[in-house]
Amino acid sequence: MSLQSFQDTFCGAVAGFSFRFFGHPFDTVKVRMQMDNQKRSFMTSAIKIFRKEGIFAYYKGMLSPLLADIPSNAVLFGIYEYVFRQICSNSQEKKPYFLEWFIAGGVAGIGYAIVVCPAEMTKCVLQMQKEYLHKQFKSPFQCFAYAIKNYGIGSVFKGLVATILRDIPQNATFFATYEYSKYVFSKNGDLPFYGALISGALGGFTCCLASYPMDVVKTQLQVEIKETTQNRKFKPRFYDGGVMECVKYIWQTQGYKGFWSGVESCIIYYMVGCAAQFTGYYYAQSLLTNYSNKH
């Protein structure tokens, strides 16, 4: 591995930790809202969780995505930086590269989805416990063991197609927005702290809007792991992992609003998480670059 690739991977790992630590409580509220038939508001859902389950309930299911976010973000940022350098012949020139950012982000999203999908499945299941699921798991590892024992090793990738369909537009818009915002806020090549925060938050806002309907589908598919194969509503068609059946079910039962259930929580989640993520990534990258230049 080259020094540049190592730096990209390491900074991605820092970004993954930052995103999960600051964003996970909002993710828990988002998942509860997506599965709540009564369609409560963000504040009502958040207060209900606190009153019934306590403050630590907001961090339910965090271990598996935290363990996955570090390597998955290392993969995400590593692929993004590599693809961008390959398709952009003169990346040192100070100008916007919208198409290159968009393509590199979309390609990186595929790799990210493959790595993160198993952790996303256990996260969603654990976040839905207490109130919604009768089957209780004490840890993500117990959830993994249950899925593998009953449905085989492939079951931990339940929802993979939906995850890929979510993460391609998510990361394409994510990086394009962040990079352009960073370009606007940079002064003489340096990005101020507030610029890093705002750039990350704007990236989180746009990527949420670009991917949220498929995120709802992904959640519905992944929490079905608790059901036997015969009892699952969303049967796979043409290797789609149940995506078409799930989309049809949501449309018929809730209309277009069903695809945006809990979106306010997701926007807050991504804006907070991405602000922390990209600030962590940018300053880790700056730190390593300065260290390399001195040595």
Side-chain angles (χ1 to χ4, degrees), residues 37-57:
N37 291 328
Q38 296 186 35
K39 305 306 173 192
R40 298 178 177 90
S41 68
F42 169 75
M43 285 303 299
T44 302
S45 299
I47 292 171
K48 182 182 178 184
I49 294 171
F50 177 76
R51 286 178 175 173
K52 287 195 171 185
E53 303 169 50
I55 193 168
F56 291 109

Side-chain angles (χ1 to χ4, degrees), residues 27 46 50 70 82 105 107 150 173 207 271 282:
D27 186 43
F50 177 76
I70 293 175
Y82 175 80
V107 173
N150 289 277
T173 54
C207 80
M271 290 185 72
Y282 176 78

Side-chain angles (χ1 to χ4, degrees), residues 232-252:
R232 292 176 187 171
K233 296 192 293 284
F234 313 124
K235 308 295 183 184
R237 296 172 59 187
F238 309 110
Y239 302 99
D240 74 334
V243 169
M244 287 190 285
E245 286 294 322
C246 188
V247 169
K248 180 181 176 182
Y249 171 80
I250 295 173
W251 180 263
Q252 290 178 340

Side-chain angles (χ1 to χ4, degrees), residues 4-45:
Q4 184 64 60
S5 296
F6 171 77
Q7 290 182 355
D8 294 339
T9 302
F10 175 79
C11 295
V14 173
F17 176 83
S18 302
F19 179 90
R20 182 55 49 188
F21 183 79
F22 288 99
H24 192 80
F26 302 99
D27 186 43
T28 297
V29 179
K30 178 204 73 171
V31 170
R32 293 291 183 92
M33 291 177 72
Q34 287 177 342
M35 298 300 294
D36 187 358
N37 291 328
Q38 296 186 35
K39 305 306 173 192
R40 298 178 177 90
S41 68
F42 169 75
M43 285 303 299
T44 302
S45 299

Side-chain angles (χ1 to χ4, degrees), residues 69-81:
D69 273 350
I70 293 175
S72 62
N73 273 268
V75 169
L76 175 69
F77 283 90
I79 293 176
Y80 169 76
E81 295 287 0

